Amino acid sequence: MSYVDEIYERVVANNPGETLFHQAVKEVLDSLKLVIDANEEKYRSVSLLERLTEPERIISFRVPWVDDNGKVQVNKGYRVQFNSAIGPYKGGLRFRYDVNQSMLKFLGFEQIFKNSLTGLPIGGGKGGSDFDPKGKSDREVMAFCQSFMTELCKYIGADVDVPAGDQGVGGREIGFMYGQYKRITGLYEGVLTGKGLTWGGSLVRTQATGYGLVYIAEEMLKHVGDSFNGKTVVISGAGNVAIYACEKAQQLGAKVVALCDSNGYIYDADGIKLDIVKDIKEVRRGRIKEYVDAVPTAKYTAGKGIWTIPCDIALPCAGQNELDLEDAKALIANGCKLVAEGANMPSTREATDYFLEKKILFMPGKAANAGGVATSALEMSQNSQRLSWSFAEVDAKLHDIMTGIYAKVSDAAARYGVAGNFVAGANIAGFEKVADAMMSQGIV
Ligand code: NDP
Ligand code: 2IT
């Protein structure tokens, strides 16, 4: 059996029931076959893949807090410190009802390769909780965040592990956690990213994942002599990534016709009015169906189905496995030419394979959504320098990083004889840097 297949069997056996983690590992290992088979003895002799697929450390802890009725609630908290070969652990915190260890291991594993692709010195990590901020009061969210950080602060630091936002964690949650970190440790340091602009945050971080996604998609189009101008775009989600992907796509002349949340989707044939979406989601923390109250010509449909809307470009920006084979077939049957993933692993394996087989332009999440973490790393640099860069300066750096990622991914795919397969290209290019660092640092 090949080294790669052996490792996949080992991961499944040693991590029972962790299907999301298995899925993420399989996709990466399948791509790496091309590299590993050519250097099998080199990697096998130091058990490189065994080490790469085992987190350096997982911290899991109890998070007790008191709700508005005076009742004590208990949630699970986690931090997966997956790989520090190229820098301090870096990655978001997810607060959502369905968070579990398998989900955070999948996200932490993806983060290793994503962070490597940015070219910046950041290792891979992820964390979170099964606490869901939806429907909670600000006081309840603060009580939870303070309790969560009271435990997490023992394991993080500006040069150790730097968490940020993800699903359910935005500026409000980062603020409450930063305040508690500072209060306990007495340190005013860049220990979290996505901070507010008056207390160490970076301009463009809020927009970065969505803008970066559109920058890399624009680069993909540029290489086939095309652009966003005049294109019809469907974006799933209505959170941080979706909103700023929509904003940048509109700035580049595209018409975005649909967005969704986990209850249903809206379709606006005249183009989404983003100020209305921002008011619903960022100010009122409401549901996407409220859009049709403000825009009666738009249509709300409950449940799944957003990918049946005809479009030229699809940007899945909601969550893992939200786009399956049936959705992929519907997109392509309706003429979709480009899919770039704003979310982490939004396409199922079958959907991904279908996109590759049909040879549409397809960029996987670990490359396409790397603009968020890259700008987090720029926030870390500014904190270390005790300086703040201008919007234009950070945005220009983000743009360069995304075009740089496109170049690395397409070059790696071409070098291994699979030109145009950006899934293989992203996994290989991300792996090469981390593997080199791990080989140099001995058996640790
Ligand atoms: P948010 O919590 O801000 O928004 C998530 C949005 O997606 C919400 O509208 C949510 O709806 C919706 N959603 C989640 N799951 C589903 C689903 N299964 N079907 C339909 N809608 C769904 O999160 P972000 O925008 O920050 O994150 C979105 C994705 O992007 C995640 O995969 C995240 O890991 C990834 N990502 C985020 C980065 C960042 O900087 N924030 C960076 C890189 C990747 P509802 O409110 O109903 O739950
Ligand atoms: O999935 C991701 O890359 C993020 N949620 C952003 C992580 C970060 O540290 O900014």
Side-chain angles (χ1 to χ4, degrees):
M1 194 186 296
S2 79
Y3 184 31
V4 163
D5 292 333
E6 208 176 293
I7 292 302
Y8 179 65
E9 284 200 355
R10 178 190 159 101
V11 165
V12 172
N14 289 354
N15 302 273
E18 297 193 339
T19 49
L20 283 171
F21 181 50
H22 303 166
Q23 183 185 342
V25 169
K26 181 151 181 53
E27 187 214 279
V28 171
L29 287 180
D30 283 351
S31 298
L32 293 184
K33 260 194 183 125
L34 296 164
V35 186
I36 304 285
D37 287 353
N39 301 280
E40 178 158 337
E41 211 25 59
K42 177 172 117 181
Y43 293 133
R44 212 189 249 281
S45 65
V46 294
S47 296
L48 188 92
L49 294 182
E50 287 86 336
R51 289 189 284 139
L52 189 67
T53 51
E54 189 68 40
E56 289 176 18
R57 192 174 302 103
I58 300 180
I59 300 133
S60 81
F61 49 94
R62 176 171 73 201
V63 191
W65 57 282
V66 180
D67 71 17
D68 285 347
N69 298 318
K71 183 166 181 344
V72 177
Q73 301 285 345
V74 180
N75 287 96
K76 287 176 183 290
Y78 305 89
R79 186 73 182 162
V80 178
Q81 297 182 331
F82 218 121
N83 191 300
S84 63
I86 63 169
Y89 309 105
K90 182 83 197 87
L93 295 171
R94 177 175 288 192
F95 292 171
R96 197 174 155 88
Y97 69 90
D98 58 356
V99 163
N100 56 36
Q101 186 169 292
S102 167
M103 186 186 289
L104 297 176
K105 281 166 75 176
F106 123 61
L107 290 162
F109 187 69
E110 290 284 285
Q111 202 81 42
I112 302 170
F113 307 98
K114 180 195 306 192
N115 292 3
S116 166
L117 285 171
T118 67
L120 299 166
I122 39 179
K126 198 83 187 190
S129 174
D130 59 357
F131 170 82
D132 204 316
K134 278 202 286 291
K136 306 287 194 306
S137 70
D138 285 351
R139 194 211 61 80
E140 288 178 319
V141 172
M142 181 172 75
F144 172 81
C145 288
Q146 290 182 340
S147 182
F148 183 84
M149 184 51 85
T150 300
E151 187 60 26
L152 185 67
C153 74
K154 300 168 189 168
Y155 309 100
I156 61 176
D159 295 311
V160 179
D161 182 354
V162 183
D166 192 80
Q167 288 181 344
V169 178
R172 174 182 61 172
E173 291 74 19
I174 293 289
F176 291 147
M177 287 191 276
Y178 191 75
Q180 186 72 351
Y181 180 86
K182 186 163 60 72
R183 184 185 193 192
I184 295 175
T185 63
L187 296 171
Y188 207 108
E189 61 170 6
V191 66
L192 295 171
T193 58
K195 297 186 291 299
L197 297 177
T198 55
W199 42 279
S202 174
L203 287 161
V204 194
R205 177 61 189 90
T206 301
Q207 297 85 352
T209 311
Y211 278 21
L213 171 67
V214 173
Y215 290 153
I216 202 165
E218 188 192 23
E219 191 68 11
M220 293 160 76
L221 290 167
K222 204 172 108 189
H223 278 80
V224 295
D226 210 341
S227 77
F228 264 90
N229 197 25
K231 296 290 186 300
T232 299
V233 180
V234 167
I235 302 178
S236 64
N240 174 264
V241 180
I243 286 174
Y244 292 96
C246 179
E247 184 165 284
K248 184 53 72 180
Q250 290 179 337
Q251 285 172 9
L252 296 181
K255 182 157 84 168
V256 179
V257 295
L259 291 172
C260 74
D261 59 23
S262 52
N263 295 116
Y265 63 93
I266 50 163
Y267 173 71
D268 187 341
D270 301 324
I272 296 285
K273 284 126 200 104
L274 198 57
D275 50 339
I276 294 172
V277 176
K278 284 185 179 176
D279 181 56
I280 296 169
K281 288 290 175 185
E282 295 185 334
V283 181
R284 293 193 278 121
R285 298 180 188 276
R287 307 305 302 160
I288 202 66
K289 69 167 180 246
E290 293 163 36
Y291 183 86
V292 297
D293 300 337
V295 186
T297 48
K299 190 172 166 238
Y300 174 73
T301 309
K304 284 195 72 173
I306 192 168
W307 305 121
T308 60
I309 298 170
C311 63
D312 304 305
I313 295 172
L315 304 175
C317 298
Q320 63 281 348
N321 292 331
E322 54 157 309
L323 195 165
D324 63 17
L325 180 59
E326 211 180 302
D327 297 324
K329 285 183 173 167
L331 280 169
I332 291 190
N334 285 329
C336 179
K337 298 279 185 298
L338 183 150
V339 177
E341 298 183 328
N344 285 305
M345 207 168 73
S347 308
T348 62
R349 179 61 190 265
E350 294 74 25
T352 300
D353 288 346
Y354 189 74
F355 290 140
L356 294 176
E357 182 195 316
K358 293 291 166 187
K359 296 200 182 309
I360 65 156
L361 293 169
F362 177 76
M363 191 60 79
K366 64 173 71 68
N369 69 37
V373 75
T375 307
S376 278
L378 300 179
E379 183 171 325
M380 291 165 70
S381 300
Q382 292 168 77
N383 293 162
S384 300
Q385 289 185 311
R386 309 225 180 275
L387 290 174
S388 305
W389 303 338
S390 69
F391 191 98
E393 193 174 351
V394 183
D395 193 35
K397 285 185 166 48
L398 170 63
H399 192 274
D400 278 0
I401 290 168
M402 297 315 296
T403 53
I405 291 174
Y406 175 85
K408 281 179 223 175
V409 166
S410 72
D411 166 71
R415 268 193 288 126
Y416 281 89
V418 286
N421 179 340
F422 300 144
V423 174
N427 288 327
I428 292 169
F431 169 79
E432 285 177 330
K433 182 175 169 187
V434 176
D436 183 73
M438 288 177 73
M439 299 292 287
S440 305
Q441 292 173 21
I443 309 301
V444 292

